[in-house]
Amino acid sequence: MAVKVLMVCLGNICRSPTAEAVLRALAARRVPSLELIVDSAGTGAYHLGEPPDSRSQAVAAYRGYDLSGLRARQVRASDFEEFDLLLAMDKANWSDLQALAPPQRRDRVRLFLDYAPGSEHREVPDPYYGGPDGFEQVLDLAEQAAQGVLDALTTRGR
Ligand code: 4NP
């Protein structure tokens, strides 16, 4: 059975679409036998229907990830039933998801960077109001944690 992972940030135009595309690409390349379905959503509704931020798209494209077809949507109640893992980019996203989740689904909500234990970061910093370095950092952290997610899914034998 397919494993389903939802990446979650605030706007669904910078961090979570990046994490979505990175995990999908690394899984296809490194563990082609793994049936993995990846999506992303935002806790906020500011950018519904919009493609990812052009700065995220540019930095991702430079590393070979295509974000152009993605469109922002908001987290919905059915996500907690549909997805095995909901991975929050920062602690505010995590708290918002915990508050939305039915009690029996709260254990599906984790911090994305829990899967990058070697990193000094616990959160993926929001790059929206910052400079270009922030977008590069999102890619760096997403590549580290996506590998950790793949390791966890494959060693668990799912
Ligand atoms: P994201 O970045 O949560 O990584 O998609 C943001 C994008 C937009 C806003 C905040 C964060 N905003 O407030 O519009």
Side-chain angles (χ1 to χ4, degrees):
M1 216 174 70
V3 182
K4 302 181 85 172
V5 177
L6 185 70
M7 300 296 189
V8 179
C9 63
L10 176 59
N12 194 210
I13 55 166
C14 298
R15 293 166 293 172
S16 62
T18 300
E20 172 190 349
V22 168
L23 179 59
R24 182 180 293 123
L26 294 193
R29 193 184 309 157
R30 297 180 182 166
V31 201
S33 61
L34 180 67
E35 244 194 294
L36 186 64
I37 293 171
V38 193
D39 194 6
S40 66
T43 57
Y46 314 103
H47 297 279
L48 299 183
E50 294 179 20
D53 188 285
S54 58
R55 298 165 294 176
S56 293
Q57 290 202 48
V59 172
Y62 190 73
R63 298 198 198 188
Y65 308 104
D66 180 11
L67 307 189
S68 64
L70 305 180
R71 295 293 179 270
R73 73 167 178 89
Q74 196 167 21
V75 174
R76 47 185 176 243
S78 59
D79 289 330
F80 296 98
E81 309 305 324
E82 183 177 348
F83 290 91
D84 302 291
L85 275 177
L86 294 90
L87 299 180
M89 297 299 120
D90 65 29
K91 291 174 185 173
N93 309 145
W94 184 90
S95 298
D96 288 342
L97 288 173
Q98 288 290 329
L100 288 170
Q104 73 276 15
R105 297 299 188 219
R106 284 186 191 138
D107 63 349
R108 297 183 173 194
V109 178
R110 311 269 176 83
L111 275 175
F112 184 38
L113 295 192
D114 283 352
Y115 293 89
S119 172
E120 67 196 54
H121 295 272
R122 304 308 317 132
E123 309 181 273
V124 182
D126 186 347
Y128 190 67
Y129 294 107
D133 287 358
F135 290 85
E136 295 286 349
Q137 184 182 36
V138 170
L139 261 295
D140 291 341
L141 292 170
E143 287 179 336
Q144 285 177 46
Q147 183 59 53
V149 170
L150 289 180
D151 291 343
L153 292 177
T154 48
T155 55
R156 251 183 243 152
R158 298 185 61 166

